[in-house]
Amino acid sequence: MPKHEVKSTVKDEELIQKRREQISRGAVKLFIDKGFHRTTTREIAKEAGFSIGTLYEYIRTKEDVLYLVCDSIYNEVNMRLAELDTNDNTIEGLRLAIANYFEVINVMSDEFLVMYQESKSLPSEALRYVLTKELEMVQQFETIIQRCMEAGNLRIGPEEVSLAAHHILVQGQMWSFRRWALRREYTLERYIQVQTDQIIQGLEK
Amino acid sequence: MPKHEVKSTVKDEELIQKRREQISRGAVKLFIDKGFHRTTTREIAKEAGFSIGTLYEYIRTKEDVLYLVCDSIYNEVNMRLAELDTNDNTIEGLRLAIANYFEVINVMSDEFLVMYQESKSLPSEALRYVLTKELEMVQQFETIIQRCMEAGNLRIGPEEVSLAAHHILVQGQMWSFRRWALRREYTLERYIQVQTDQIIQGLEK
Amino acid sequence: MPKHEVKSTVKDEELIQKRREQISRGAVKLFIDKGFHRTTTREIAKEAGFSIGTLYEYIRTKEDVLYLVCDSIYNEVNMRLAELDTNDNTIEGLRLAIANYFEVINVMSDEFLVMYQESKSLPSEALRYVLTKELEMVQQFETIIQRCMEAGNLRIGPEEVSLAAHHILVQGQMWSFRRWALRREYTLERYIQVQTDQIIQGLEK
Amino acid sequence: MPKHEVKSTVKDEELIQKRREQISRGAVKLFIDKGFHRTTTREIAKEAGFSIGTLYEYIRTKEDVLYLVCDSIYNEVNMRLAELDTNDNTIEGLRLAIANYFEVINVMSDEFLVMYQESKSLPSEALRYVLTKELEMVQQFETIIQRCMEAGNLRIGPEEVSLAAHHILVQGQMWSFRRWALRREYTLERYIQVQTDQIIQGLEK
DNA sequence: AATGAATGAGCCTTCATTCAT
DNA sequence: GATGAATGAAGGCTCATTCAT
């Protein structure tokens, strides 16, 4: 699926990149605080460091800002994950990948929350694009699991690979969504340990 | 925690109950369709079958409606779960409880989605109350797991009981949140089977 | 052609009529002064005597106001003309009809100017409706001319009836459009006399 | 009345002329399409073939563009009329002048429409200048009529000369303003014939 | 208890104009 | 002379809430 396009009246492509990063960075803060709907475009402009007029040189609608935010979060997550990809096919490699993912979520906990709570407000085309991004993440884990299977280190039915990958993602999101309950009882390290144990165990029946 | 109170100018307690049910039932439909913020109070009144003036005789703010909705969803879920509680302490009992819960979620999938996506818009006091409701559900599963443990049918550390309960809840919500991906590949029956297997297996190390 | 409909959230049909008259009356004043585009909806509301919110209970868009204005002007003109229709078929009757029409234009000169200068801003459906109203006026004069012809008091080709009617209308509008030039040199009475003479003479070849 | 002056930061008088012609030519197109108020300065610049910054080197306000447009239309009309002036003093000469004028209007029908619908938006000083241009056209016809009168070919009172000239102009504009009605029933040729007949007849009482 | 007209703060967006490069 | 990014005042419109009937 091609990238969802956000129209801009500005020609300098580099400047567009720079300004949109400012927008995105500012907007996340606000969305975390007050949610998408309670944040005004003026606040976004101010937080980004320029006037409302300038904001609208780089986006066409408020929803574009939400898309920019979601896109940049996904990109950062994928980048961080790619950075740490060990590319081996042992159980230990899977374990590490999971731990990395959980740590990324821990760092970007607020961003995750925003993305999952607000993405429903995206116009449908943009929403579809964002969902493909989510699927890409699922596929990253599917690949890792697949590699383990093929190397004989994991014994699960091939139809369960996808579910297992979703499972891992959701388990990670749980650390973001339910932190109000979990952080009372767990440190990140302990959470990672217990959850990976359980996930791996579930995959080795 | 005491129930969050919604002020009304009407005295007749019974009428209040009836009207609020109408409001809640109508509002869920609309929230499912368009989300909380995109739904207007006028639409809510219309869907409930009376005028905007009357709506405001039974609530004080729009957020009250959201609270009413969340509250009624939780109540319905808890009712349905309680109905099916076998109260035994075997693994089979746990398995059945999980299946029940998943089936309830399947039926109320839209409602769950609304609740988890919109509850952040509740005023903090109401939010806290709703979270206690969520915790009650966690506790229901904690109790079941505990009973299994005490009967010797499960061997997990006591500190992990709470996490396991959260785990079950999240696994269920996953069926609601990620249906865009999961329903392509799984039927509810198969999903229940695979997930309960994995959960139980995770608890029997 | 059915009347172009303007949506309202208010139910009381009588109140709608009353409010729309207020709107129309206030708006004409402003449009005469500053034109449609330079007049703000806030100003319209204020001039009509209520708040911006109330204004929008009776219209859906700013263009609706323009339509209301055009419609009410046409209605008033047609009413005034009908009032004075002698319904006879002599040249004298035609002469009187023309004089009446010119006098109406003289009284509603500003309104005419507004209508002809701004109606292009109407959405196409409303524009079409307004044009049919204009055609109705043309037809009123066509009928009068026809009657004179049939009574043998006028001798023009039947294909020229329509043009003659347009001619009369335009001659009247001229008194509104070019008053900056004409009122320096003519009184209404003299203008009526000279123009009707010429029109009638043109019809008697 | 001296020409209304439009300030420019550019010195090269020739370049100014060239650019302003570009502006005017582009703007008419847009004004015909969307009217003055709905056309943006950016669109004007683009249509003219340069940047918004450059546009503002040759004008000071958006209204200047409207003035440029009106001025250029009048100049073109006057040029075309002068070109065809037979300068004789017969009825036939008058007839020809009228036909010429109607043909010019037919060719520049859109431009006429724009001018008469939008000139009200000119700042008052520019408006006054444009009105003098209109008066010049009136005077051209007054002169022709006068010459006919003095040559004994026309017998109308001297106070009616001006009115007759206005009459001719308005009759021509009618072909532009009411084309939605007239072009269904008339060709230009027939319209010219019928109208000149009537006008001339009206002048020969 | 029910109704629905009235209110106005506040939102998103546009666009004429400027000015540094 | 030309460019185009930046500005912010201002505009159209919505909607939660109130209150007289």
Side-chain angles (χ1 to χ4, degrees):
Chain A
M1 176 172 299
K3 201 177 165 65
H4 169 75
E5 204 175 340
V6 177
K7 282 264 162 46
S8 167
T9 53
V10 173
K11 296 176 176 177
D12 183 340
E13 207 53 52
E14 219 166 300
L15 188 58
I16 293 182
Q17 280 315 310
K18 184 181 148 198
R19 289 281 180 261
R20 288 195 175 159
E21 239 156 74
Q22 289 177 276
I23 294 172
S24 198
R25 214 190 326 278
V28 186
K29 256 194 240 175
L30 296 166
F31 292 172
I32 287 170
D33 228 52
K34 343 167 51 175
F36 174 67
H37 282 101
R38 291 200 202 290
T39 302
T40 70
T41 51
R42 270 178 172 74
E43 290 170 320
I44 295 170
K46 192 171 181 188
E47 187 74 33
F50 33 69
S51 72
I52 183 69
T54 300
L55 176 67
Y56 273 88
E57 299 270 349
Y58 297 93
I59 58 162
R60 239 173 28 76
T61 69
K62 192 186 172 191
E63 269 124 8
D64 281 346
V65 176
L66 183 54
Y67 169 73
L68 252 33
V69 164
C70 290
D71 194 46
S72 91
I73 294 176
Y74 269 117
N75 285 340
E76 185 165 352
V77 172
N78 277 323
M79 216 195 54
R80 285 180 188 246
L81 289 184
E83 228 168 54
L84 295 167
D85 190 4
T86 55
N87 227 347
D88 73 9
N89 49 20
T90 62
I91 293 274
E92 197 46 34
L94 175 57
R95 195 179 275 277
L96 259 171
I98 295 174
N100 280 340
Y101 171 58
F102 280 27
E103 263 152 17
V104 168
I105 281 183
N106 186 57
V107 172
M108 302 179 63
S109 189
D110 286 332
E111 283 84 355
F112 262 75
L113 212 52
V114 164
M115 206 171 56
Y116 285 108
Q117 286 185 333
E118 308 292 4
S119 60
K120 67 166 192 307
S121 295
L122 288 171
S124 64
E125 191 220 354
L127 178 57
R128 239 173 304 132
Y129 176 71
V130 166
L131 287 183
T132 62
K133 286 277 196 173
E134 177 78 17
L135 268 185
E136 271 174 36
M137 285 185 50
V138 176
Q139 276 152 10
Q140 284 200 30
F141 277 102
E142 283 181 356
T143 309
I144 298 175
I145 296 170
Q146 201 79 39
R147 282 199 317 242
C148 287
M149 275 175 58
E150 283 161 9
N153 295 326
L154 223 51
R155 254 156 292 157
I156 59 169
E159 350 65 73
E160 285 166 38
V161 174
S162 150
L163 186 61
H166 277 286
H167 186 128
I168 292 170
L169 257 68
V170 170
Q171 228 49 253
Q173 289 160 20
M174 180 169 154
W175 182 248
S176 167
F177 295 171
R178 302 179 87 81
R179 50 182 172 176
W180 52 273
L182 296 174
R183 290 197 189 175
R184 292 188 206 149
E185 308 182 45
Y186 290 89
T187 62
L188 174 63
E189 290 68 36
R190 179 129 177 71
Y191 184 76
I192 289 179
Q193 200 204 330
V194 176
Q195 288 292 49
T196 38
D197 278 359
Q198 219 179 67
I199 290 168
I200 302 281
Q201 203 175 348
L203 294 175
E204 294 180 320
K205 70 169 154 211
Chain B
M1 178 174 294
K3 199 174 166 67
H4 169 75
E5 204 175 342
V6 177
K7 282 265 163 45
S8 166
T9 55
V10 177
K11 306 289 168 200
D12 182 340
E13 224 22 80
E14 218 168 301
L15 188 55
I16 293 183
Q17 276 318 306
K18 184 182 148 201
R19 290 279 180 261
R20 288 193 176 161
E21 236 157 76
Q22 288 176 278
I23 294 171
S24 194
R25 216 191 323 280
V28 187
K29 256 195 239 176
L30 295 166
F31 292 172
I32 286 170
D33 230 52
K34 341 169 49 174
F36 173 68
H37 282 101
R38 292 198 202 293
T39 302
T40 67
T41 50
R42 271 176 166 82
E43 289 171 320
I44 294 169
K46 192 173 181 187
E47 188 75 31
F50 35 71
S51 73
I52 182 70
T54 302
L55 177 66
Y56 273 86
E57 301 276 336
Y58 297 94
I59 58 161
R60 236 175 27 77
T61 69
K62 192 185 171 191
E63 271 108 9
D64 282 345
V65 177
L66 183 55
Y67 169 74
L68 252 33
V69 165
C70 290
D71 194 43
S72 92
I73 294 176
Y74 269 118
N75 285 339
E76 185 167 353
V77 172
N78 278 324
M79 216 194 54
R80 283 178 189 248
L81 288 185
E83 228 168 53
L84 294 165
D85 191 4
T86 56
N87 228 344
D88 75 7
N89 50 21
T90 62
I91 293 274
E92 198 46 35
L94 175 57
R95 197 180 273 276
L96 260 171
I98 294 174
N100 281 342
Y101 171 58
F102 280 26
E103 263 151 17
V104 169
I105 281 184
N106 186 57
V107 173
M108 304 181 63
S109 189
D110 286 332
E111 283 83 353
F112 261 76
L113 212 51
V114 164
M115 207 173 53
Y116 284 109
Q117 286 185 334
E118 308 292 3
S119 59
K120 69 171 190 302
S121 295
L122 288 170
S124 63
E125 190 220 354
L127 179 58
R128 239 171 305 132
Y129 176 70
V130 166
L131 289 183
T132 61
K133 287 277 195 173
E134 177 79 17
L135 268 185
E136 272 174 33
M137 285 184 51
V138 176
Q139 276 150 12
Q140 284 200 30
F141 278 101
E142 284 181 354
T143 309
I144 298 175
I145 295 169
Q146 201 79 39
R147 283 198 315 241
C148 286
M149 275 177 60
E150 282 160 8
N153 294 326
L154 221 51
R155 253 157 295 155
I156 57 169
E159 349 68 72
E160 286 166 38
V161 174
S162 151
L163 186 61
H166 277 286
H167 187 131
I168 292 169
L169 255 69
V170 169
Q171 232 44 256
Q173 289 159 18
M174 178 168 153
W175 182 248
S176 169
F177 295 170
R178 301 180 87 81
R179 51 180 172 179
W180 53 273
L182 295 175
R183 290 198 189 173
R184 289 187 207 153
E185 308 181 46
Y186 291 88
T187 62
L188 174 63
E189 290 69 36
R190 180 132 177 68
Y191 185 77
I192 289 180
Q193 199 204 332
V194 176
Q195 289 291 52
T196 36
D197 279 0
Q198 221 181 67
I199 291 169
I200 302 282
Q201 202 176 348
L203 294 176
E204 296 180 319
K205 68 170 157 211
Chain C
M1 176 174 296
K3 203 175 162 68
H4 169 76
E5 206 176 340
V6 178
K7 282 265 161 45
S8 168
T9 53
V10 174
K11 296 177 176 177
D12 183 341
E13 207 54 50
E14 219 167 300
L15 189 56
I16 293 182
Q17 279 317 309
K18 184 181 148 199
R19 290 281 179 260
R20 288 196 175 158
E21 240 155 72
Q22 289 177 274
I23 294 173
S24 199
R25 215 191 322 281
V28 186
K29 255 195 241 176
L30 296 165
F31 292 173
I32 286 170
D33 229 53
K34 343 170 46 175
F36 175 67
H37 282 101
R38 293 198 202 293
T39 302
T40 70
T41 52
R42 273 175 173 79
E43 289 170 320
I44 295 170
K46 192 171 181 189
E47 188 74 33
F50 34 68
S51 72
I52 181 71
T54 301
L55 176 67
Y56 274 89
E57 299 270 348
Y58 297 92
I59 57 162
R60 238 174 29 77
T61 68
K62 191 186 172 190
E63 269 125 9
D64 281 344
V65 177
L66 183 54
Y67 170 74
L68 252 34
V69 165
C70 290
D71 195 45
S72 89
I73 294 177
Y74 269 117
N75 286 339
E76 185 167 352
V77 173
N78 278 322
M79 218 195 54
R80 285 176 187 248
L81 289 184
E83 227 167 55
L84 295 166
D85 191 5
T86 56
N87 226 349
D88 74 9
N89 49 19
T90 61
I91 293 275
E92 198 47 35
L94 175 57
R95 197 180 274 277
L96 260 169
I98 295 174
N100 280 342
Y101 170 58
F102 280 26
E103 262 152 18
V104 168
I105 281 183
N106 186 56
V107 172
M108 302 179 65
S109 189
D110 286 331
E111 284 82 354
F112 262 75
L113 212 52
V114 163
M115 206 173 55
Y116 285 108
Q117 286 184 333
E118 308 292 5
S119 61
K120 66 169 192 307
S121 295
L122 288 170
S124 64
E125 190 219 354
L127 179 56
R128 241 173 302 133
Y129 176 71
V130 166
L131 287 183
T132 62
K133 286 277 196 173
E134 176 79 17
L135 268 185
E136 271 173 36
M137 286 184 50
V138 176
Q139 277 152 9
Q140 285 200 29
F141 278 101
E142 283 180 355
T143 309
I144 298 174
I145 295 169
Q146 200 79 41
R147 284 196 318 237
C148 288
M149 276 175 58
E150 283 160 10
N153 294 325
L154 222 51
R155 252 158 295 157
I156 58 167
E159 349 66 75
E160 285 165 36
V161 174
S162 149
L163 186 62
H166 277 286
H167 187 126
I168 292 169
L169 256 69
V170 170
Q171 232 45 255
Q173 288 160 21
M174 180 169 151
W175 182 249
S176 168
F177 295 171
R178 301 178 87 81
R179 50 181 172 178
W180 53 273
L182 296 174
R183 290 197 188 173
R184 289 186 208 151
E185 308 181 45
Y186 291 89
T187 62
L188 174 63
E189 290 69 35
R190 179 131 178 70
Y191 184 77
I192 289 179
Q193 198 203 331
V194 176
Q195 289 290 51
T196 37
D197 279 358
Q198 220 180 68
I199 291 168
I200 302 281
Q201 203 177 347
L203 294 176
E204 294 179 320
K205 69 166 153 217
Chain D
M1 180 175 291
K3 202 177 164 65
H4 169 76
E5 204 176 341
V6 178
K7 283 266 165 43
S8 167
T9 55
V10 177
K11 305 292 171 198
D12 182 342
E13 225 20 82
E14 219 168 302
L15 188 56
I16 292 183
Q17 278 317 307
K18 185 181 147 199
R19 291 278 181 262
R20 288 194 176 160
E21 237 157 74
Q22 288 177 280
I23 294 172
S24 194
R25 216 191 323 280
V28 186
K29 257 195 241 176
L30 295 165
F31 292 172
I32 286 171
D33 231 52
K34 342 168 51 175
F36 174 67
H37 281 102
R38 293 198 201 292
T39 302
T40 68
T41 50
R42 273 175 164 82
E43 290 171 317
I44 295 169
K46 194 173 181 187
E47 188 74 32
F50 35 70
S51 73
I52 182 70
T54 302
L55 178 67
Y56 272 87
E57 301 277 336
Y58 296 95
I59 57 160
R60 236 174 28 77
T61 70
K62 192 185 171 190
E63 271 108 10
D64 282 345
V65 177
L66 182 55
Y67 170 74
L68 252 33
V69 165
C70 291
D71 194 44
S72 91
I73 294 176
Y74 269 117
N75 286 338
E76 187 167 350
V77 173
N78 278 322
M79 216 195 54
R80 283 178 189 248
L81 288 184
E83 229 168 53
L84 295 165
D85 190 4
T86 55
N87 226 346
D88 73 9
N89 50 20
T90 62
I91 293 275
E92 197 47 36
L94 175 57
R95 196 180 273 278
L96 260 170
I98 294 175
N100 281 341
Y101 171 58
F102 280 27
E103 263 151 18
V104 168
I105 281 183
N106 186 57
V107 173
M108 301 180 64
S109 190
D110 286 332
E111 283 83 355
F112 262 74
L113 213 51
V114 164
M115 207 172 56
Y116 284 109
Q117 286 185 333
E118 309 292 4
S119 60
K120 68 170 190 307
S121 295
L122 288 170
S124 63
E125 189 220 354
L127 178 57
R128 240 172 303 133
Y129 176 70
V130 166
L131 287 183
T132 62
K133 287 277 196 175
E134 177 78 17
L135 268 186
E136 272 174 34
M137 284 183 51
V138 176
Q139 276 151 10
Q140 284 199 30
F141 278 100
E142 283 180 353
T143 308
I144 299 175
I145 295 170
Q146 200 80 41
R147 281 197 318 239
C148 287
M149 274 176 58
E150 282 160 8
N153 295 325
L154 222 52
R155 253 158 294 154
I156 58 168
E159 348 66 71
E160 286 166 36
V161 174
S162 151
L163 186 61
H166 278 285
H167 186 129
I168 292 170
L169 256 68
V170 169
Q171 230 48 253
Q173 289 160 19
M174 180 169 152
W175 182 250
S176 168
F177 295 171
R178 300 179 87 82
R179 50 180 172 180
W180 53 272
L182 296 175
R183 292 198 186 172
R184 291 186 206 150
E185 309 181 45
Y186 291 88
T187 61
L188 174 62
E189 288 69 36
R190 180 132 178 70
Y191 184 77
I192 289 180
Q193 200 203 329
V194 176
Q195 288 291 51
T196 37
D197 278 0
Q198 221 180 68
I199 291 169
I200 302 281
Q201 204 176 345
L203 295 176
E204 294 179 321
K205 69 167 157 219

